[in-house]
Amino acid sequence: MTAIKGAGHVWLDGKQVTNLAEHAAFKGTFQTIQELLARIDDEPVGYKDAKLGKYVHQAFSIPTTKEQLLEKRAAFEAWSIQSFGMMSRLSDYAYALITGYYIDREQFAQYDATFPQKIERYYEQLKSERRLLTTAIADPQIDRSKPLTERPEHALLHVVEETTDGIYVSGAKMIATGAPYVDDILVNTPYSKAEEQEKFANFFIVSTQSPGLEIICRKSHAAQDLALYPLASQFDEMDAVVVFNRVFIPNDRIFIRGNAEGVVKAHRHQQLNELAHYQTVIRLLTKLKFVAGVTTAVAESIRVTEFLNVQQKVGELYMQVDTIEALLHTSETNGFVQENGVFTPSAVQLQVVRNLGTSYYSRAISILKEIGAGGFTQLPSTLIERFEDEALQKQLETYYVGAASSAKQKTALFRIGWELVGSELGSRHDLYERFYTGDPFRIQSLFFENYDKLPLDDYLDTFLTKIQQREELLL
Ligand SMILES: Cc1cc2nc3c(=O)[nH]c(=O)nc-3n(C[C@H](O)[C@H](O)[C@H](O)COP(=O)(O)OP(=O)(O)OC[C@H]3O[C@@H](n4cnc5c(N)ncnc54)[C@H](O)[C@@H]3O)c2cc1C
């Protein structure tokens, strides 16, 4: 069994957390991660690495055929189903990200000649030690209107000292999901202006055990009682701000140093890496299926499925699921072997999902809310069987019963629904799906920028040529 070490300095409610496995806010998720890690020891999540002679996560495999890509899909599906898509950064996305950098390592040698060797070493280490990894890119939201040169230096992560062995950095990054549990954090700062290159334009991986690194957690949304909070008791993966107080980054973990073009390229690689986005699409699909399933069951439990408006709304959820499924399938079918011999899914459909995902989840939650309606607030504050008055218990069973389900079944279902639509954890997930992959507006603009517009121009040219031919005929 892989041991989770967790970060060195984790702060919650103003206090330092010393033992994640025992702390009320972390132990449920800790247990879930342990269960996830154990799945690496078997297929479909793991595969036997020939060099290491042991099972490693499929996210590290480098597919050369469509069949091998589909093995990856099976692994991502199995891993995400374990948390119904509710845990997203632990750590298959990051594994796929590093695999992508490893595959394309020579492209970054121009920014640091040792990049290929360093990423290869890290890829092997991550794979064999089963280290957990997350990412932290954005700066704290202080004053977004100011150009970098006018922002206070302390607000930006910057180099404070350089030695022959590495650099010392200070500042902060928001947000790193899963930070308390992970071993390492990938930090990048995609600043593109030449004048900021030296201090700010750095791409490195920091150990969460590093002296001076503080993990500042948001409010915990975790709960203890599995029956009352089936989601929050298992799946609060936590988000945190990462504070650096003269944190030392050794040379072998610095991948790009003081090069704006390099860090932007590394960031774009993160945003466009097909293997990493393949994982996010599969995870989103799992979550949308889960919400569609819960919504269907809620509708059936109060038999509102007979009404056309309800059918139309639940049907919209099925269309969401089938749209993502179809895009995923097309990206696999249109996948191809790149010049480097790697079979990758077609990027454009994955990027379409990335854009759709920022609004699909909110819409799905809104539909669930509209269908369960007042039923979500009708829930008693505890389980009916925990009421101390037996006569009242029996009476409540008649009021909380469903059209074709017992009161126990129906209230258990509505509790899951409430966690999705009304709890703190639920709101956090709505926010997460809108923003985790970046600002949706700027992502759409990136999609516009990268889209192959040539075939569209061809259509127009054909039309204009036809008009010209017709005009000539009429002359
Ligand atoms: C729950 C959650 C988990 C996350 N986990 C991670 C993680 O694990 N790792 C990670 O790296 N990041 C993570 N993020 C951060 C995420 O990458 C950012 O939230 C996202 O990039 C948007 O940046 P921001 O939140 O700073 O919003 P801002 O950039 O401050 O934007 C705020 C608003 O202002 C607008 N705006 C701001 N600047 C501009 C501009 N220049 N042009 C146009 N509009 C602008 C935006 O459109 C938006 O409406 C997470 C975010 C959330 C909510």
Side-chain angles (χ1 to χ4, degrees), residues 139 148-149 151-159 170 173 188-191 193 195-204 256-260 263:
D139 299 312
L148 287 180
T149 41
R151 290 188 199 173
E153 189 175 89
H154 68 261
L156 302 167
L157 188 62
H158 59 285
V159 178
S170 286
K173 280 282 169 192
N188 194 10
T189 301
Y191 299 139
K193 291 199 182 133
E195 66 270 23
E196 286 114 26
Q197 283 186 14
E198 278 301 310
K199 277 193 165 169
F200 305 123
N202 304 302
F203 164 32
F204 58 83
I256 296 174
R257 163 83 184 94
N259 189 306
V263 291

PDB file of all heavy atoms in Angstrom, residues 139 148-149 151-159 170 173 188-191 193 195-204 256-260 263:
ATOM      1  N   ASP A 139      -1.875  33.747  -9.779  1.00  0.00           N
ATOM      2  CA  ASP A 139      -1.422  34.584  -8.653  1.00  0.00           C
ATOM      3  C   ASP A 139      -2.628  34.990  -7.818  1.00  0.00           C
ATOM      4  O   ASP A 139      -3.758  34.991  -8.302  1.00  0.00           O
ATOM      5  CB  ASP A 139      -0.767  35.864  -9.187  1.00  0.00           C
ATOM      6  CG  ASP A 139       0.439  35.552 -10.030  1.00  0.00           C
ATOM      7  OD1 ASP A 139       1.273  34.755  -9.581  1.00  0.00           O
ATOM      8  OD2 ASP A 139       0.532  36.090 -11.144  1.00  0.00           O
ATOM      9  N   LEU A 148       1.727  43.718 -14.700  1.00  0.00           N
ATOM     10  CA  LEU A 148       2.633  43.059 -13.754  1.00  0.00           C
ATOM     11  C   LEU A 148       3.636  44.015 -13.135  1.00  0.00           C
ATOM     12  O   LEU A 148       3.939  43.944 -11.949  1.00  0.00           O
ATOM     13  CB  LEU A 148       3.401  41.945 -14.456  1.00  0.00           C
ATOM     14  CG  LEU A 148       2.596  40.697 -14.780  1.00  0.00           C
ATOM     15  CD1 LEU A 148       3.487  39.689 -15.473  1.00  0.00           C
ATOM     16  CD2 LEU A 148       2.033  40.096 -13.505  1.00  0.00           C
ATOM     17  N   THR A 149       4.144  44.910 -13.973  1.00  0.00           N
ATOM     18  CA  THR A 149       5.192  45.820 -13.503  1.00  0.00           C
ATOM     19  C   THR A 149       4.691  46.751 -12.393  1.00  0.00           C
ATOM     20  O   THR A 149       5.468  47.282 -11.622  1.00  0.00           O
ATOM     21  CB  THR A 149       5.713  46.679 -14.672  1.00  0.00           C
ATOM     22  OG1 THR A 149       4.590  47.063 -15.462  1.00  0.00           O
ATOM     23  CG2 THR A 149       6.707  45.921 -15.522  1.00  0.00           C
ATOM     24  N   ARG A 151       2.318  45.752 -10.116  1.00  0.00           N
ATOM     25  CA  ARG A 151       1.800  44.993  -8.969  1.00  0.00           C
ATOM     26  C   ARG A 151       2.877  44.902  -7.893  1.00  0.00           C
ATOM     27  O   ARG A 151       4.070  44.867  -8.212  1.00  0.00           O
ATOM     28  CB  ARG A 151       1.420  43.573  -9.396  1.00  0.00           C
ATOM     29  CG  ARG A 151       0.193  43.567 -10.271  1.00  0.00           C
ATOM     30  CD  ARG A 151      -0.285  42.169 -10.517  1.00  0.00           C
ATOM     31  NE  ARG A 151      -1.156  42.153 -11.681  1.00  0.00           N
ATOM     32  CZ  ARG A 151      -1.631  41.061 -12.243  1.00  0.00           C
ATOM     33  NH1 ARG A 151      -1.320  39.882 -11.754  1.00  0.00           N
ATOM     34  NH2 ARG A 151      -2.418  41.131 -13.294  1.00  0.00           N
ATOM     35  N   PRO A 152       2.463  44.862  -6.616  1.00  0.00           N
ATOM     36  CA  PRO A 152       3.485  44.755  -5.571  1.00  0.00           C
ATOM     37  C   PRO A 152       4.243  43.436  -5.733  1.00  0.00           C
ATOM     38  O   PRO A 152       3.626  42.395  -5.986  1.00  0.00           O
ATOM     39  CB  PRO A 152       2.681  44.767  -4.270  1.00  0.00           C
ATOM     40  CG  PRO A 152       1.270  44.490  -4.662  1.00  0.00           C
ATOM     41  CD  PRO A 152       1.106  44.902  -6.099  1.00  0.00           C
ATOM     42  N   GLU A 153       5.568  43.513  -5.608  1.00  0.00           N
ATOM     43  CA  GLU A 153       6.389  42.336  -5.866  1.00  0.00           C
ATOM     44  C   GLU A 153       6.005  41.162  -4.952  1.00  0.00           C
ATOM     45  O   GLU A 153       6.008  40.012  -5.374  1.00  0.00           O
ATOM     46  CB  GLU A 153       7.862  42.690  -5.681  1.00  0.00           C
ATOM     47  CG  GLU A 153       8.766  41.570  -6.150  1.00  0.00           C
ATOM     48  CD  GLU A 153      10.234  41.957  -6.084  1.00  0.00           C
ATOM     49  OE1 GLU A 153      10.847  41.733  -5.033  1.00  0.00           O
ATOM     50  OE2 GLU A 153      10.742  42.474  -7.086  1.00  0.00           O
ATOM     51  N   HIS A 154       5.638  41.491  -3.684  1.00  0.00           N
ATOM     52  CA  HIS A 154       5.338  40.399  -2.754  1.00  0.00           C
ATOM     53  C   HIS A 154       4.126  39.583  -3.189  1.00  0.00           C
ATOM     54  O   HIS A 154       3.924  38.465  -2.750  1.00  0.00           O
ATOM     55  CB  HIS A 154       5.137  40.945  -1.329  1.00  0.00           C
ATOM     56  CG  HIS A 154       3.892  41.775  -1.190  1.00  0.00           C
ATOM     57  ND1 HIS A 154       3.907  43.135  -1.219  1.00  0.00           N
ATOM     58  CD2 HIS A 154       2.593  41.423  -1.042  1.00  0.00           C
ATOM     59  CE1 HIS A 154       2.665  43.601  -1.077  1.00  0.00           C
ATOM     60  NE2 HIS A 154       1.865  42.578  -0.977  1.00  0.00           N
ATOM     61  N   ALA A 155       3.298  40.175  -4.068  1.00  0.00           N
ATOM     62  CA  ALA A 155       2.096  39.452  -4.506  1.00  0.00           C
ATOM     63  C   ALA A 155       2.407  38.423  -5.590  1.00  0.00           C
ATOM     64  O   ALA A 155       1.560  37.609  -5.930  1.00  0.00           O
ATOM     65  CB  ALA A 155       1.077  40.451  -5.035  1.00  0.00           C
ATOM     66  N   LEU A 156       3.592  38.510  -6.143  1.00  0.00           N
ATOM     67  CA  LEU A 156       3.960  37.587  -7.223  1.00  0.00           C
ATOM     68  C   LEU A 156       5.061  36.667  -6.731  1.00  0.00           C
ATOM     69  O   LEU A 156       5.954  37.095  -6.001  1.00  0.00           O
ATOM     70  CB  LEU A 156       4.469  38.384  -8.433  1.00  0.00           C
ATOM     71  CG  LEU A 156       3.489  39.412  -8.999  1.00  0.00           C
ATOM     72  CD1 LEU A 156       4.194  40.337  -9.969  1.00  0.00           C
ATOM     73  CD2 LEU A 156       2.329  38.716  -9.688  1.00  0.00           C
ATOM     74  N   LEU A 157       4.982  35.439  -7.165  1.00  0.00           N
ATOM     75  CA  LEU A 157       6.024  34.494  -6.773  1.00  0.00           C
ATOM     76  C   LEU A 157       7.313  34.881  -7.497  1.00  0.00           C
ATOM     77  O   LEU A 157       7.323  34.957  -8.729  1.00  0.00           O
ATOM     78  CB  LEU A 157       5.584  33.080  -7.156  1.00  0.00           C
ATOM     79  CG  LEU A 157       6.465  31.960  -6.655  1.00  0.00           C
ATOM     80  CD1 LEU A 157       6.491  31.927  -5.143  1.00  0.00           C
ATOM     81  CD2 LEU A 157       5.968  30.629  -7.195  1.00  0.00           C
ATOM     82  N   HIS A 158       8.377  35.146  -6.725  1.00  0.00           N
ATOM     83  CA  HIS A 158       9.589  35.635  -7.365  1.00  0.00           C
ATOM     84  C   HIS A 158      10.845  35.049  -6.720  1.00  0.00           C
ATOM     85  O   HIS A 158      10.815  34.581  -5.578  1.00  0.00           O
ATOM     86  CB  HIS A 158       9.644  37.166  -7.322  1.00  0.00           C
ATOM     87  CG  HIS A 158       9.611  37.715  -5.928  1.00  0.00           C
ATOM     88  ND1 HIS A 158       8.466  37.761  -5.169  1.00  0.00           N
ATOM     89  CD2 HIS A 158      10.595  38.233  -5.153  1.00  0.00           C
ATOM     90  CE1 HIS A 158       8.744  38.276  -3.988  1.00  0.00           C
ATOM     91  NE2 HIS A 158      10.031  38.572  -3.946  1.00  0.00           N
ATOM     92  N   VAL A 159      11.926  35.129  -7.453  1.00  0.00           N
ATOM     93  CA  VAL A 159      13.200  34.597  -6.957  1.00  0.00           C
ATOM     94  C   VAL A 159      13.823  35.630  -6.023  1.00  0.00           C
ATOM     95  O   VAL A 159      13.957  36.801  -6.379  1.00  0.00           O
ATOM     96  CB  VAL A 159      14.159  34.323  -8.143  1.00  0.00           C
ATOM     97  CG1 VAL A 159      15.511  33.823  -7.648  1.00  0.00           C
ATOM     98  CG2 VAL A 159      13.533  33.303  -9.096  1.00  0.00           C
ATOM     99  N   SER A 170       9.927  33.416  -3.016  1.00  0.00           N
ATOM    100  CA  SER A 170       8.940  33.907  -2.049  1.00  0.00           C
ATOM    101  C   SER A 170       7.726  34.411  -2.815  1.00  0.00           C
ATOM    102  O   SER A 170       7.832  34.794  -3.986  1.00  0.00           O
ATOM    103  CB  SER A 170       9.505  35.058  -1.221  1.00  0.00           C
ATOM    104  OG  SER A 170      10.430  34.562  -0.285  1.00  0.00           O
ATOM    105  N   LYS A 173       0.762  31.470  -4.465  1.00  0.00           N
ATOM    106  CA  LYS A 173       0.019  31.010  -5.635  1.00  0.00           C
ATOM    107  C   LYS A 173      -1.373  30.614  -5.182  1.00  0.00           C
ATOM    108  O   LYS A 173      -1.547  29.965  -4.147  1.00  0.00           O
ATOM    109  CB  LYS A 173       0.686  29.768  -6.248  1.00  0.00           C
ATOM    110  CG  LYS A 173       1.883  30.083  -7.117  1.00  0.00           C
ATOM    111  CD  LYS A 173       1.448  30.580  -8.473  1.00  0.00           C
ATOM    112  CE  LYS A 173       2.597  31.157  -9.250  1.00  0.00           C
ATOM    113  NZ  LYS A 173       2.167  31.884 -10.439  1.00  0.00           N
ATOM    114  N   ASN A 188       3.828  27.108 -12.224  1.00  0.00           N
ATOM    115  CA  ASN A 188       4.230  27.834 -13.428  1.00  0.00           C
ATOM    116  C   ASN A 188       3.683  29.250 -13.345  1.00  0.00           C
ATOM    117  O   ASN A 188       2.753  29.537 -12.598  1.00  0.00           O
ATOM    118  CB  ASN A 188       3.717  27.130 -14.695  1.00  0.00           C
ATOM    119  CG  ASN A 188       4.410  27.661 -15.941  1.00  0.00           C
ATOM    120  OD1 ASN A 188       5.392  28.404 -15.847  1.00  0.00           O
ATOM    121  ND2 ASN A 188       3.924  27.296 -17.103  1.00  0.00           N
ATOM    122  N   THR A 189       4.267  30.112 -14.125  1.00  0.00           N
ATOM    123  CA  THR A 189       3.900  31.516 -14.106  1.00  0.00           C
ATOM    124  C   THR A 189       4.006  32.024 -15.530  1.00  0.00           C
ATOM    125  O   THR A 189       5.080  32.443 -15.939  1.00  0.00           O
ATOM    126  CB  THR A 189       4.878  32.288 -13.184  1.00  0.00           C
ATOM    127  OG1 THR A 189       4.789  31.717 -11.883  1.00  0.00           O
ATOM    128  CG2 THR A 189       4.543  33.741 -13.115  1.00  0.00           C
ATOM    129  N   PRO A 190       2.931  31.930 -16.267  1.00  0.00           N
ATOM    130  CA  PRO A 190       3.056  32.251 -17.688  1.00  0.00           C
ATOM    131  C   PRO A 190       3.058  33.743 -18.011  1.00  0.00           C
ATOM    132  O   PRO A 190       2.140  34.254 -18.645  1.00  0.00           O
ATOM    133  CB  PRO A 190       1.837  31.546 -18.299  1.00  0.00           C
ATOM    134  CG  PRO A 190       0.851  31.477 -17.203  1.00  0.00           C
ATOM    135  CD  PRO A 190       1.579  31.498 -15.916  1.00  0.00           C
ATOM    136  N   TYR A 191       4.084  34.436 -17.553  1.00  0.00           N
ATOM    137  CA  TYR A 191       4.179  35.864 -17.893  1.00  0.00           C
ATOM    138  C   TYR A 191       4.945  36.017 -19.194  1.00  0.00           C
ATOM    139  O   TYR A 191       6.011  35.432 -19.359  1.00  0.00           O
ATOM    140  CB  TYR A 191       4.914  36.635 -16.798  1.00  0.00           C
ATOM    141  CG  TYR A 191       4.214  36.569 -15.478  1.00  0.00           C
ATOM    142  CD1 TYR A 191       4.935  36.412 -14.315  1.00  0.00           C
ATOM    143  CD2 TYR A 191       2.831  36.650 -15.406  1.00  0.00           C
ATOM    144  CE1 TYR A 191       4.288  36.344 -13.095  1.00  0.00           C
ATOM    145  CE2 TYR A 191       2.188  36.571 -14.195  1.00  0.00           C
ATOM    146  CZ  TYR A 191       2.918  36.420 -13.040  1.00  0.00           C
ATOM    147  OH  TYR A 191       2.285  36.345 -11.847  1.00  0.00           O
ATOM    148  N   LYS A 193       5.911  39.046 -20.716  1.00  0.00           N
ATOM    149  CA  LYS A 193       6.666  40.267 -21.026  1.00  0.00           C
ATOM    150  C   LYS A 193       8.140  40.119 -20.659  1.00  0.00           C
ATOM    151  O   LYS A 193       8.487  39.646 -19.585  1.00  0.00           O
ATOM    152  CB  LYS A 193       6.061  41.442 -20.272  1.00  0.00           C
ATOM    153  CG  LYS A 193       4.699  41.802 -20.798  1.00  0.00           C
ATOM    154  CD  LYS A 193       4.323  43.198 -20.381  1.00  0.00           C
ATOM    155  CE  LYS A 193       2.935  43.533 -20.869  1.00  0.00           C
ATOM    156  NZ  LYS A 193       2.113  44.126 -19.827  1.00  0.00           N
ATOM    157  N   GLU A 195      10.433  42.110 -19.711  1.00  0.00           N
ATOM    158  CA  GLU A 195      11.005  42.763 -18.527  1.00  0.00           C
ATOM    159  C   GLU A 195      10.751  41.968 -17.241  1.00  0.00           C
ATOM    160  O   GLU A 195      11.388  42.198 -16.226  1.00  0.00           O
ATOM    161  CB  GLU A 195      10.520  44.207 -18.388  1.00  0.00           C
ATOM    162  CG  GLU A 195       9.037  44.388 -18.104  1.00  0.00           C
ATOM    163  CD  GLU A 195       8.213  44.496 -19.369  1.00  0.00           C
ATOM    164  OE1 GLU A 195       8.673  44.017 -20.427  1.00  0.00           O
ATOM    165  OE2 GLU A 195       7.118  45.078 -19.306  1.00  0.00           O
ATOM    166  N   GLU A 196       9.780  41.024 -17.282  1.00  0.00           N
ATOM    167  CA  GLU A 196       9.505  40.258 -16.071  1.00  0.00           C
ATOM    168  C   GLU A 196      10.158  38.887 -16.084  1.00  0.00           C
ATOM    169  O   GLU A 196       9.936  38.082 -15.188  1.00  0.00           O
ATOM    170  CB  GLU A 196       7.999  40.073 -15.884  1.00  0.00           C
ATOM    171  CG  GLU A 196       7.310  41.324 -15.441  1.00  0.00           C
ATOM    172  CD  GLU A 196       6.378  41.846 -16.488  1.00  0.00           C
ATOM    173  OE1 GLU A 196       5.901  41.053 -17.299  1.00  0.00           O
ATOM    174  OE2 GLU A 196       6.152  43.063 -16.510  1.00  0.00           O
ATOM    175  N   GLN A 197      10.949  38.631 -17.113  1.00  0.00           N
ATOM    176  CA  GLN A 197      11.487  37.282 -17.292  1.00  0.00           C
ATOM    177  C   GLN A 197      12.278  36.778 -16.092  1.00  0.00           C
ATOM    178  O   GLN A 197      12.023  35.697 -15.582  1.00  0.00           O
ATOM    179  CB  GLN A 197      12.405  37.241 -18.502  1.00  0.00           C
ATOM    180  CG  GLN A 197      11.655  37.205 -19.794  1.00  0.00           C
ATOM    181  CD  GLN A 197      12.587  37.026 -20.961  1.00  0.00           C
ATOM    182  OE1 GLN A 197      13.732  36.683 -20.768  1.00  0.00           O
ATOM    183  NE2 GLN A 197      12.110  37.265 -22.133  1.00  0.00           N
ATOM    184  N   GLU A 198      13.226  37.586 -15.663  1.00  0.00           N
ATOM    185  CA  GLU A 198      14.199  37.088 -14.693  1.00  0.00           C
ATOM    186  C   GLU A 198      13.582  36.566 -13.404  1.00  0.00           C
ATOM    187  O   GLU A 198      13.789  35.443 -13.011  1.00  0.00           O
ATOM    188  CB  GLU A 198      15.196  38.195 -14.369  1.00  0.00           C
ATOM    189  CG  GLU A 198      16.298  38.318 -15.406  1.00  0.00           C
ATOM    190  CD  GLU A 198      17.088  37.023 -15.557  1.00  0.00           C
ATOM    191  OE1 GLU A 198      17.517  36.490 -14.520  1.00  0.00           O
ATOM    192  OE2 GLU A 198      17.250  36.553 -16.691  1.00  0.00           O
ATOM    193  N   LYS A 199      12.755  37.425 -12.788  1.00  0.00           N
ATOM    194  CA  LYS A 199      12.276  37.069 -11.458  1.00  0.00           C
ATOM    195  C   LYS A 199      11.057  36.160 -11.472  1.00  0.00           C
ATOM    196  O   LYS A 199      10.871  35.342 -10.586  1.00  0.00           O
ATOM    197  CB  LYS A 199      11.909  38.345 -10.695  1.00  0.00           C
ATOM    198  CG  LYS A 199      13.105  38.990 -10.071  1.00  0.00           C
ATOM    199  CD  LYS A 199      12.680  40.025  -9.100  1.00  0.00           C
ATOM    200  CE  LYS A 199      13.855  40.390  -8.229  1.00  0.00           C
ATOM    201  NZ  LYS A 199      13.625  41.545  -7.419  1.00  0.00           N
ATOM    202  N   PHE A 200      10.200  36.396 -12.450  1.00  0.00           N
ATOM    203  CA  PHE A 200       8.877  35.773 -12.363  1.00  0.00           C
ATOM    204  C   PHE A 200       8.646  34.581 -13.290  1.00  0.00           C
ATOM    205  O   PHE A 200       7.811  33.739 -13.005  1.00  0.00           O
ATOM    206  CB  PHE A 200       7.793  36.817 -12.641  1.00  0.00           C
ATOM    207  CG  PHE A 200       7.884  38.028 -11.761  1.00  0.00           C
ATOM    208  CD1 PHE A 200       8.002  39.301 -12.294  1.00  0.00           C
ATOM    209  CD2 PHE A 200       7.850  37.887 -10.386  1.00  0.00           C
ATOM    210  CE1 PHE A 200       8.084  40.411 -11.476  1.00  0.00           C
ATOM    211  CE2 PHE A 200       7.932  38.989  -9.561  1.00  0.00           C
ATOM    212  CZ  PHE A 200       8.058  40.258 -10.109  1.00  0.00           C
ATOM    213  N   ALA A 201       9.333  34.567 -14.421  1.00  0.00           N
ATOM    214  CA  ALA A 201       9.001  33.551 -15.436  1.00  0.00           C
ATOM    215  C   ALA A 201       9.710  32.230 -15.142  1.00  0.00           C
ATOM    216  O   ALA A 201      10.713  31.892 -15.766  1.00  0.00           O
ATOM    217  CB  ALA A 201       9.359  34.070 -16.824  1.00  0.00           C
ATOM    218  N   ASN A 202       9.156  31.482 -14.185  1.00  0.00           N
ATOM    219  CA  ASN A 202       9.785  30.227 -13.768  1.00  0.00           C
ATOM    220  C   ASN A 202       8.775  29.097 -13.745  1.00  0.00           C
ATOM    221  O   ASN A 202       7.619  29.284 -13.363  1.00  0.00           O
ATOM    222  CB  ASN A 202      10.372  30.388 -12.363  1.00  0.00           C
ATOM    223  CG  ASN A 202      11.344  31.544 -12.308  1.00  0.00           C
ATOM    224  OD1 ASN A 202      12.318  31.576 -13.048  1.00  0.00           O
ATOM    225  ND2 ASN A 202      11.041  32.525 -11.482  1.00  0.00           N
ATOM    226  N   PHE A 203       9.236  27.937 -14.136  1.00  0.00           N
ATOM    227  CA  PHE A 203       8.411  26.729 -14.131  1.00  0.00           C
ATOM    228  C   PHE A 203       9.204  25.682 -13.348  1.00  0.00           C
ATOM    229  O   PHE A 203      10.299  25.299 -13.740  1.00  0.00           O
ATOM    230  CB  PHE A 203       8.167  26.311 -15.586  1.00  0.00           C
ATOM    231  CG  PHE A 203       7.653  24.899 -15.795  1.00  0.00           C
ATOM    232  CD1 PHE A 203       6.829  24.271 -14.870  1.00  0.00           C
ATOM    233  CD2 PHE A 203       7.971  24.206 -16.957  1.00  0.00           C
ATOM    234  CE1 PHE A 203       6.357  22.980 -15.081  1.00  0.00           C
ATOM    235  CE2 PHE A 203       7.513  22.909 -17.187  1.00  0.00           C
ATOM    236  CZ  PHE A 203       6.703  22.309 -16.241  1.00  0.00           C
ATOM    237  N   PHE A 204       8.649  25.292 -12.175  1.00  0.00           N
ATOM    238  CA  PHE A 204       9.369  24.319 -11.343  1.00  0.00           C
ATOM    239  C   PHE A 204       8.388  23.412 -10.606  1.00  0.00           C
ATOM    240  O   PHE A 204       7.168  23.647 -10.622  1.00  0.00           O
ATOM    241  CB  PHE A 204      10.290  25.032 -10.344  1.00  0.00           C
ATOM    242  CG  PHE A 204       9.590  26.002  -9.424  1.00  0.00           C
ATOM    243  CD1 PHE A 204       8.954  25.568  -8.274  1.00  0.00           C
ATOM    244  CD2 PHE A 204       9.581  27.373  -9.707  1.00  0.00           C
ATOM    245  CE1 PHE A 204       8.317  26.469  -7.421  1.00  0.00           C
ATOM    246  CE2 PHE A 204       8.937  28.279  -8.856  1.00  0.00           C
ATOM    247  CZ  PHE A 204       8.298  27.811  -7.716  1.00  0.00           C
ATOM    248  N   ILE A 256      12.169  25.520 -16.210  1.00  0.00           N
ATOM    249  CA  ILE A 256      12.434  26.718 -17.026  1.00  0.00           C
ATOM    250  C   ILE A 256      12.690  27.863 -16.057  1.00  0.00           C
ATOM    251  O   ILE A 256      11.920  28.079 -15.117  1.00  0.00           O
ATOM    252  CB  ILE A 256      11.260  27.042 -17.970  1.00  0.00           C
ATOM    253  CG1 ILE A 256      11.078  25.900 -18.986  1.00  0.00           C
ATOM    254  CG2 ILE A 256      11.514  28.370 -18.712  1.00  0.00           C
ATOM    255  CD1 ILE A 256       9.871  26.029 -19.870  1.00  0.00           C
ATOM    256  N   ARG A 257      13.775  28.559 -16.274  1.00  0.00           N
ATOM    257  CA  ARG A 257      14.185  29.601 -15.324  1.00  0.00           C
ATOM    258  C   ARG A 257      14.352  30.925 -16.071  1.00  0.00           C
ATOM    259  O   ARG A 257      15.142  31.015 -17.025  1.00  0.00           O
ATOM    260  CB  ARG A 257      15.519  29.152 -14.702  1.00  0.00           C
ATOM    261  CG  ARG A 257      16.321  30.206 -14.001  1.00  0.00           C
ATOM    262  CD  ARG A 257      15.847  30.419 -12.569  1.00  0.00           C
ATOM    263  NE  ARG A 257      16.608  31.503 -11.984  1.00  0.00           N
ATOM    264  CZ  ARG A 257      16.191  32.772 -11.991  1.00  0.00           C
ATOM    265  NH1 ARG A 257      15.055  33.111 -12.538  1.00  0.00           N
ATOM    266  NH2 ARG A 257      16.941  33.701 -11.416  1.00  0.00           N
ATOM    267  N   GLY A 258      13.522  31.918 -15.665  1.00  0.00           N
ATOM    268  CA  GLY A 258      13.686  33.269 -16.202  1.00  0.00           C
ATOM    269  C   GLY A 258      13.519  33.371 -17.703  1.00  0.00           C
ATOM    270  O   GLY A 258      14.237  34.121 -18.349  1.00  0.00           O
ATOM    271  N   ASN A 259      12.566  32.634 -18.252  1.00  0.00           N
ATOM    272  CA  ASN A 259      12.355  32.718 -19.692  1.00  0.00           C
ATOM    273  C   ASN A 259      10.850  32.789 -19.984  1.00  0.00           C
ATOM    274  O   ASN A 259      10.132  31.797 -19.860  1.00  0.00           O
ATOM    275  CB  ASN A 259      12.974  31.492 -20.381  1.00  0.00           C
ATOM    276  CG  ASN A 259      12.971  31.653 -21.894  1.00  0.00           C
ATOM    277  OD1 ASN A 259      11.925  31.910 -22.491  1.00  0.00           O
ATOM    278  ND2 ASN A 259      14.137  31.524 -22.499  1.00  0.00           N
ATOM    279  N   ALA A 260      10.409  33.989 -20.375  1.00  0.00           N
ATOM    280  CA  ALA A 260       8.973  34.210 -20.568  1.00  0.00           C
ATOM    281  C   ALA A 260       8.407  33.352 -21.687  1.00  0.00           C
ATOM    282  O   ALA A 260       7.342  32.750 -21.535  1.00  0.00           O
ATOM    283  CB  ALA A 260       8.727  35.691 -20.857  1.00  0.00           C
ATOM    284  N   VAL A 263       8.025  29.722 -20.387  1.00  0.00           N
ATOM    285  CA  VAL A 263       6.938  29.419 -19.438  1.00  0.00           C
ATOM    286  C   VAL A 263       5.577  29.514 -20.116  1.00  0.00           C
ATOM    287  O   VAL A 263       4.650  28.755 -19.791  1.00  0.00           O
ATOM    288  CB  VAL A 263       6.975  30.310 -18.159  1.00  0.00           C
ATOM    289  CG1 VAL A 263       8.166  29.974 -17.287  1.00  0.00           C
ATOM    290  CG2 VAL A 263       6.918  31.787 -18.472  1.00  0.00           C
TER     291      VAL A 263
END
